[in-house]
Amino acid sequence: MLQAGLMMKGPVATTNVAAFMGLATKLIERDPTAPGFGVFHGPSGYGKTYASIFAQNKTRAIRVEVGDYWTRKTLLKSILAEAGQSPRGTIADMAEATIRILGDDPGRPLIIDEADRLVDKRMIELVRDLQDKSTAPIILIGEEHLPAKLAAVERVHNRVLDWVAAQPTDMDDARSLAASICPGIAIGDDLLAEIVNRSDGRARRIVVNLIRAGEIARNSGAKALDRRAWGSTEFFDSRPPSPRNIAALARGL
């Protein structure tokens, strides 16, 4: 699981992983008459994609991540390719093939990451057709405003079984991430708390800071690292650096 920008040595069952698995299970085990869409939403960096990859491995889900350049044809081709099929024919042909594959295994979810783009590009109705005709569980992943975007598409909004909001990383999650990223190094709670705070609870930033913590510990030969040992090393907060004074820099000041 080295995708989504999270460099970890093994799967970590964070709060958002558990929440995503709960959503997937609810959709898979739902009553046949219940709606088949689930929505997992939250800010960038909260670990939504990582949670979906974890669930993909556990549920054999078909998972695609919508690109900014995608069309209806690209979406269908990607779903079919992920399902192990060779996409061919017209858009209608591929839609029918997708419906057939999803319908043949209704316990296998379809996970669509970056689903905001489907709404923006007016492609979400195609996904509604896929779900309606196959009855397969479909999980849409997107940013914090995805539910509001879907609210404007009533025929999709009415088919959502549950809405789950991704949560910021807490101390328990941070300890689990530290154990995975920094094996053999005891990261002090004071340093972890500072990392979580400086990272705004965003898992992706926390991972980068934990990688730095591991480097500091290894370079000094330490088996433990706390806030004091971290020293003056900058924390990664994803903020761009301030503009430099080029004239002063050129003079060596």
Side-chain angles (χ1 to χ4, degrees):
M1 289 195 180
L2 299 182
Q3 301 182 52
L6 301 185
M7 299 292 291
M8 287 175 259
K9 295 177 173 60
V12 179
T14 62
T15 300
N16 286 327
V17 165
F20 196 99
M21 281 299 302
L23 176 61
T25 301
K26 184 174 185 178
L27 284 164
I28 293 169
E29 298 178 353
R30 76 191 190 281
D31 184 278
T33 62
F37 276 105
V39 176
F40 194 72
H41 62 98
S44 173
Y46 267 36
K48 302 185 300 296
T49 297
Y50 176 78
S52 73
I53 294 170
F54 187 105
Q56 176 188 16
N57 293 335
K58 293 292 185 181
T59 65
R60 304 180 302 108
I62 299 169
R63 180 184 170 278
V64 296
E65 185 170 333
V66 180
D68 186 59
Y69 59 90
W70 278 24
T71 63
R72 288 170 174 80
K73 185 175 182 179
T74 316
L75 173 64
L76 293 169
K77 287 178 66 176
S78 298
I79 294 172
L80 289 170
E82 285 296 319
Q85 304 298 310
S86 298
R88 58 172 60 91
T90 65
I91 290 178
D93 293 334
M94 289 190 288
E96 290 298 326
T98 302
I99 291 166
R100 183 172 59 255
I101 290 167
L102 294 176
D104 285 346
D105 193 354
R108 187 184 190 187
L110 169 61
I111 300 173
I112 303 180
D113 203 349
E114 301 288 357
D116 310 70
R117 290 169 174 167
L118 294 178
V119 185
D120 296 341
K121 293 173 174 288
R122 299 182 180 180
M123 293 163 54
I124 195 66
E125 284 285 1
L126 170 58
V127 179
R128 181 187 65 80
D129 279 343
L130 299 180
Q131 200 288 315
D132 272 357
K133 295 177 181 178
S134 70
T135 71
I138 296 181
I139 301 177
L140 304 175
I141 306 172
E143 298 297 314
E144 188 64 20
H145 295 294
L146 177 58
K149 289 183 177 183
L150 290 173
V153 189
E154 185 178 0
R155 291 196 294 181
V156 177
H157 184 268
N158 287 339
R159 287 168 170 78
V160 175
L161 180 64
D162 201 4
W163 311 79
V164 176
Q167 300 300 315
T169 301
D170 59 18
M171 283 294 289
D172 287 338
D173 285 346
R175 292 188 189 98
S176 297
L177 292 172
S180 175
I181 296 166
C182 306
I185 302 170
I187 306 296
D189 275 358
D190 60 342
L191 177 56
L192 274 179
E194 184 77 2
I195 287 175
V196 171
N197 179 56
R198 294 291 191 98
S199 303
D200 293 330
R202 297 179 189 251
R204 187 176 292 119
R205 297 177 188 175
I206 290 170
V207 166
V208 174
N209 281 306
L210 286 172
I211 291 171
R212 288 186 179 179
E215 292 171 350
I216 293 170
R218 285 190 294 273
N219 290 340
S220 63
K223 294 297 183 182
L225 196 73
D226 58 12
R227 179 63 184 88
R228 182 176 181 180
W230 174 277
S232 60
T233 302
E234 292 187 3
F235 289 90
F236 177 75
D237 58 12
S238 200
R239 294 181 177 85
S242 301
R244 299 175 298 168
N245 186 325
I246 302 301
L249 186 66
R251 294 196 300 269
L253 300 180

